[in-house]
Amino acid sequence: MKTSKLLFFVVIFLATFSKAQERVIVTSDGVKLYVNVKGKGTPCLYLHGGPGSGSYWLEKFYGSELEKNFQMIYLDQRGVSRSSSPDDKNYSLDRMIQDFEEVRNALGIKEWLTIGHSFGGILQMGYVEKHPEVIMGMIMINCTLSMKDSFSRSWISKAYELTYEKQDPLPENTSSEMLLKKMMEVGKKMDDKKVRWKMAFASQESDNLMNSSYREIPNWNNNFSSVALSIDDYWKDFTKDAGDVKVPVLFFYGKSDWMVGPDHYKKIKFPNMMLWGSDVGHMPFLENQKDLNKAIKAYIKKYKF
């Protein structure tokens, strides 16, 4: 009788422990990374966008769907949300990639998929170029592979249309400094006219819902977002390198996504790519989950993940 009771409590303890998926992984340079592991299936690392938007968005609004097929690893990047910041302010792409590898090793994962959103496409490309041996495939949701292309050909043009009722595309060789100056200028105009939400969403209610999620995380860390766009690493044009990527890629894009650009996909030439255009803006995991589900299930089926 005593043995059966002891076994019962051991089983209960193990079941409780197995649900405790939130953890902190300390990097080799002392940064405390927030990681949450949920779901079953092929391991899949989420590389969030922003820069600095955190992993909570995807987990909150779409995690229950992803976790049916994948063991999701939700990571807040260094200097973002629930993760701490580096003392030496090292936010380089190489250091980010090293973080991903240290998380993978800490979790005992041999290889995994990556899923990225928006700016997360830049991170995915940097990662797969440096460590192709650990990446089985990439799911890109409304991802940019070139911030210059997305900002000059889509973001600024649409923002001018919303504020000045005209388009003002900039040449692709415009410097990052000039692009940021233009974006700040027209961004203020959009805020004055209260139309910024139209860049990403179909409705202002969706924008409000998404923004409200920030308030659910106390003491949100904004350090990376405050410096990311001043780091040259992230301005590299990775569209030129897509042809060298061997893993299967789902490239999902929104036909009314002005943050990245509805035509950005035309520059993307992965040799093993499932291209999926959808009637949605920048946030399909909030505004068109049905089509996003179809795309991911088709990708899983085709490549047997």
Side-chain angles (χ1 to χ4, degrees), residues 2-264:
K2 289 182 179 179
T3 302
S4 63
K5 282 185 177 180
L6 178 61
L7 180 61
F8 172 79
F9 284 116
V10 168
V11 169
I12 292 298
F13 171 78
L14 289 175
T16 303
F17 179 78
S18 68
K19 293 178 182 178
Q21 300 295 321
E22 289 183 291
R23 67 198 72 189
V24 172
I25 294 174
V26 182
T27 66
S28 55
D29 63 344
V31 174
K32 297 176 181 177
L33 295 175
Y34 170 88
V35 176
N36 197 3
V37 182
K38 299 171 72 175
K40 296 179 180 179
T42 305
C44 185
L45 171 67
Y46 176 48
L47 299 180
H48 63 72
S53 65
S55 65
Y56 184 57
W57 272 0
L58 192 75
E59 179 189 350
K60 176 181 174 67
F61 296 112
Y62 194 58
S64 60
E65 290 296 325
L66 290 170
E67 292 152 25
K68 293 175 184 177
N69 299 296
F70 304 121
Q71 180 191 49
M72 289 299 303
I73 295 93
Y74 301 104
L75 164 69
D76 287 348
Q77 295 150 23
R78 57 176 49 216
V80 179
S81 187
R82 294 158 288 190
S83 291
S84 71
S85 302
D87 291 338
D88 64 357
K89 297 182 172 57
N90 186 354
Y91 292 106
S92 68
L93 181 56
D94 279 348
R95 182 60 247 193
M96 283 285 186
I97 292 166
Q98 189 173 339
D99 286 354
F100 306 154
E101 278 295 274
E102 290 181 12
V103 169
R104 184 182 64 81
N105 288 320
L107 297 178
I109 295 172
K110 183 178 179 181
E111 55 182 354
W112 52 11
L113 294 167
T114 60
I115 182 169
H117 175 245
S118 194
F119 172 78
I122 301 289
L123 299 174
Q124 284 178 292
M125 286 300 294
Y127 191 16
V128 76
E129 285 188 356
K130 195 157 191 177
H131 294 285
E133 74 283 357
V134 303
I135 298 175
M136 304 162 65
M138 301 191 297
I139 299 173
M140 293 189 161
I141 303 173
N142 294 70
C143 280
T144 181
L145 269 62
S146 168
M147 290 202 297
K148 275 194 175 182
D149 180 75
S150 291
F151 290 161
S152 64
R153 295 179 64 242
S154 180
W155 198 103
I156 288 177
S157 293
K158 187 63 178 180
Y160 265 80
E161 181 184 312
L162 291 171
T163 52
Y164 298 106
E165 298 182 349
K166 66 175 183 177
Q167 294 224 349
D168 188 26
L170 296 173
E172 288 187 47
N173 61 355
T174 302
S175 68
S176 58
E177 292 80 7
M178 180 56 69
L179 280 172
L180 292 175
K181 182 179 178 181
K182 284 278 188 181
M183 289 173 73
M184 288 182 65
E185 170 196 309
V186 74
K188 184 178 184 305
K189 280 281 186 181
M190 285 195 293
D191 291 338
D192 291 343
K193 297 186 74 170
K194 296 181 172 56
V195 294
R196 187 187 283 263
W197 63 269
K198 294 183 179 181
M199 297 288 291
F201 297 93
S203 72
Q204 194 164 14
E205 289 73 23
S206 293
D207 182 32
N208 292 337
L209 181 60
M210 187 70 76
N211 288 333
S212 70
S213 67
Y214 281 116
R215 295 193 288 273
E216 297 174 26
I217 305 295
N219 303 313
W220 186 286
N221 189 350
N222 287 306
N223 284 349
F224 178 50
S225 63
S226 68
V227 300
L229 296 183
S230 65
I231 299 172
D232 289 341
D233 295 2
Y234 301 115
W235 289 93
K236 179 180 175 180
D237 181 1
F238 283 102
T239 63
K240 299 174 181 178
D241 303 321
D244 297 325
V245 174
K246 306 303 182 187
V247 300
V249 177
L250 168 61
F251 197 85
F252 181 104
Y253 69 94
K255 296 178 182 178
S256 55
D257 175 14
W258 307 109
M259 302 292 285
V260 167
D263 293 328
H264 185 61

